Amino acid sequence: MSKKWTGRLLATAFCVLTAAASCMPGFAAGSQMVVKECDNLQLTLPDDMSAVTRSSEISDPYFKQHHLSYDAVMRDFRDGDSYLQAMDPEGSVTLTLSYLDTDAQDFNEMSDEDIAEMGRSFLGGTDAVVQYSACTPDQADSGLVWLLLDMNAMDMSGTVSRQYQATTVYSGKNITLTLCRNNGSVTADDYAALAGVANSVKANRVFPWRRLIPIAIVVGSVILLIILIKVGLRIAKSLKESGKLSKKSENDKILEELFGKYHLRSKGGAHADTSKDDAPAPKRLQRKDLSADKTKPAETEDKSEYVDIYAHSSARKEAEDARKKEAAAAAEPEKKAESAKEERPIPEKPELKRPDSEKTEDKKSSEDRLSRYLNDDDFDTNDDSDTPVRKYSDEDIERLLAETEGR
């Protein structure tokens, strides 16, 4: 059990030390630094140097070790656009990192001639504070191209000292490392130290937003122009359609007015209802077939829906009156002949007595002879029945039979 608890305690102590080290990013000796304010730029300092950044706390041991004021260091950071400051234990050498936005082209994208021309542009000049005397291009293992400069700088007291500087442009940022001696000029060893720090720098690719501004202006102008053109076309189209609709509405009004007048005229009144939905369905008019059998009802779907307009018309009444007159005129000669026969007297003849046997034979023969004087019962040619109908009375028949036998 004791071994397990000892292992757990050691692991806990290691975690605590790691957390404490992460809480002091500004203090590092011979280790890799990560500057968060410079897009997580990475660099490696010499073994005997410690550093602070803008994110360092006032309790950082760096300020107490070098007897520096926290506020003064932060003010120097803001005034010089600096983000890191490193010193050796004696405080005799100071390394500063500055990080600025720029519109210049990246050094690693330039040709050798352009890099040489850029180096020559630093030399000379009339600036009394900084004078560059030498420039050496150098390409680091990370791919960054640096210009190592030898310069003379004047401090606040007016003292001129020799310093070394390494500068590059990458991803729209100007990265500059400056190394100086606090009590004198730099040495050759200081130049090697600066070159080593520059070679260890690893900068992240940052999108240059400033370069995007002109492109954004051009693209925005084109988009705005397209939108204006589309809006103008839509407005013109809507105006054109509104004109067509107004003309169409006027034509529809005229057509509706004409249709209303025609509908009222067809209905036979100025106050007729022109609504199709409210108007009752018109009844079907069917002419009766007078030749059809009157005993059979008309086969219709709904008898109440049909009206015989001919039955109550004046034309039918006139036709019936004319038919009655013609029938009366045709029946007058027959009536006169019948009346004349009734008025004529029939002569009386003596009755002849005959035996019964003869009477029966005569009766049979008379019935046979009687068929000559019998006709059909009606005038219907389609009736096949032969029911005898008397044309003469019994007296006339007997008289005719007697006359026939007397001959």
Side-chain angles (χ1 to χ4, degrees), residues 328-339:
E332 284 181 1
E334 295 180 358
K335 289 181 179 180
K336 289 180 180 180
E338 289 179 359
S339 62

Side-chain angles (χ1 to χ4, degrees), residues 114-164:
D114 294 336
I115 290 294
E117 182 64 27
M118 180 66 67
R120 286 191 292 270
S121 66
F122 282 94
L123 301 177
T126 58
D127 191 354
V129 178
V130 177
Q131 291 283 334
Y132 294 97
S133 58
C135 179
T136 304
D138 185 21
Q139 185 171 2
D141 297 337
S142 61
L144 296 178
V145 176
W146 294 88
L147 292 178
L148 299 177
L149 302 170
D150 189 351
M151 66 178 185
N152 295 318
M154 183 182 298
D155 58 10
M156 299 297 295
S157 62
T159 304
V160 177
S161 61
R162 185 181 179 186
Q163 301 177 5
Y164 292 126

Side-chain angles (χ1 to χ4, degrees), residues 53-65:
T53 63
R54 288 191 180 189
S55 60
S56 298
E57 299 293 336
I58 193 172
S59 59
D60 195 296
Y62 178 88
F63 301 103
K64 186 176 182 181
Q65 180 183 2

Side-chain angles (χ1 to χ4, degrees), residues 39 81 83 99-106 169-174 206-218:
D39 302 313
D81 293 323
Y83 291 85
Y99 196 77
L100 300 173
D101 294 330
T102 181
D103 295 331
Q105 186 180 2
D106 291 359
V169 175
Y170 179 77
S171 187
K173 300 291 183 179
N174 180 211
V206 180
F207 187 81
W209 295 103
R210 290 186 178 181
R211 295 182 182 179
L212 185 61
I213 293 175
I215 300 174
I217 293 173
V218 174

Side-chain angles (χ1 to χ4, degrees), residues 92-368:
S92 58
V93 179
T94 302
L95 178 68
T96 307
L97 170 68
S98 64
Y99 196 77
L100 300 173
D101 294 330
T102 181
D103 295 331
Q105 186 180 2
D106 291 359
F107 285 1
N108 59 334
E109 296 177 357
M110 292 183 179
S111 62
D112 295 339
E113 291 78 8
D114 294 336
I115 290 294
E117 182 64 27
M118 180 66 67
R120 286 191 292 270
S121 66
F122 282 94
L123 301 177
T126 58
D127 191 354
V129 178
V130 177
Q131 291 283 334
Y132 294 97
S133 58
C135 179
T136 304
D138 185 21
Q139 185 171 2
D141 297 337
S142 61
L144 296 178
V145 176
W146 294 88
L147 292 178
L148 299 177
L149 302 170
D150 189 351
M151 66 178 185
N152 295 318
M154 183 182 298
D155 58 10
M156 299 297 295
S157 62
T159 304
V160 177
S161 61
R162 185 181 179 186
Q163 301 177 5
Y164 292 126
Q165 191 176 78
T167 184
T168 186
V169 175
Y170 179 77
S171 187
K173 300 291 183 179
N174 180 211
I175 306 171
T176 302
L177 295 171
T178 304
L179 190 144
C180 65
R181 287 274 178 179
N182 296 329
N183 297 316
S185 297
V186 292
T187 62
D189 294 336
D190 297 332
Y191 183 87
L194 178 64
V197 174
N199 190 37
S200 68
V201 173
K202 295 180 181 179
N204 297 317
R205 173 68 68 176
V206 180
F207 187 81
W209 295 103
R210 290 186 178 181
R211 295 182 182 179
L212 185 61
I213 293 175
I215 300 174
I217 293 173
V218 174
V219 174
S221 302
V222 173
I223 293 173
L224 181 61
L225 181 61
I226 293 172
I227 292 172
L228 291 176
I229 292 173
K230 286 187 176 181
V231 171
L233 292 175
R234 285 188 178 181
I235 293 173
K237 186 177 180 180
S238 62
L239 292 175
K240 188 176 181 180
E241 289 180 353
S242 62
K244 288 183 179 180
L245 290 175
S246 62
K247 291 182 181 179
K248 186 176 180 181
S249 61
E250 291 177 0
N251 294 334
D252 291 341
K253 288 180 182 179
I254 295 172
L255 291 174
E256 289 177 0
E257 186 177 356
L258 293 175
F259 177 75
K261 291 181 179 179
Y262 175 76
H263 189 68
L264 290 174
R265 188 179 299 172
S266 64
K267 288 293 183 180
H271 301 286
D273 189 5
T274 60
S275 176
K276 294 183 179 180
D277 298 333
D278 299 334
K283 295 183 178 180
R284 292 181 59 188
L285 303 180
Q286 183 177 6
R287 186 182 297 278
K288 268 190 178 180
D289 189 3
L290 299 178
S291 63
D293 189 2
K294 295 182 180 180
T295 60
K296 296 181 180 180
E299 296 180 357
T300 57
E301 296 178 358
D302 189 0
K303 295 181 181 180
S304 62
E305 295 293 332
Y306 301 95
V307 178
D308 188 4
I309 61 174
Y310 184 70
H312 304 286
S313 64
S314 60
R316 181 176 179 180
K317 291 180 181 180
E318 292 176 359
E320 288 181 354
D321 294 341
R323 187 168 58 254
K324 288 178 180 180
K325 288 180 181 180
E326 290 177 359
E332 284 181 1
E334 295 180 358
K335 289 181 179 180
K336 289 180 180 180
E338 289 179 359
S339 62
K341 288 180 181 181
E342 291 177 356
E343 292 176 358
R344 185 177 62 181
I346 300 174
E348 295 181 359
K349 290 186 179 182
E351 294 182 0
L352 298 177
K353 293 182 179 181
R354 300 176 66 181
D356 294 335
S357 60
E358 293 180 358
K359 286 182 181 181
T360 57
E361 292 178 359
D362 292 341
K363 187 175 180 180
K364 291 179 181 179
S365 61
S366 63
E367 287 180 357
D368 294 335

Side-chain angles (χ1 to χ4, degrees), residues 40-54:
N40 293 325
L41 182 143
Q42 299 178 10
L43 55 84
T44 302
L45 297 174
D47 295 338
D48 58 345
M49 277 193 173
S50 60
V52 290
T53 63
R54 288 191 180 189

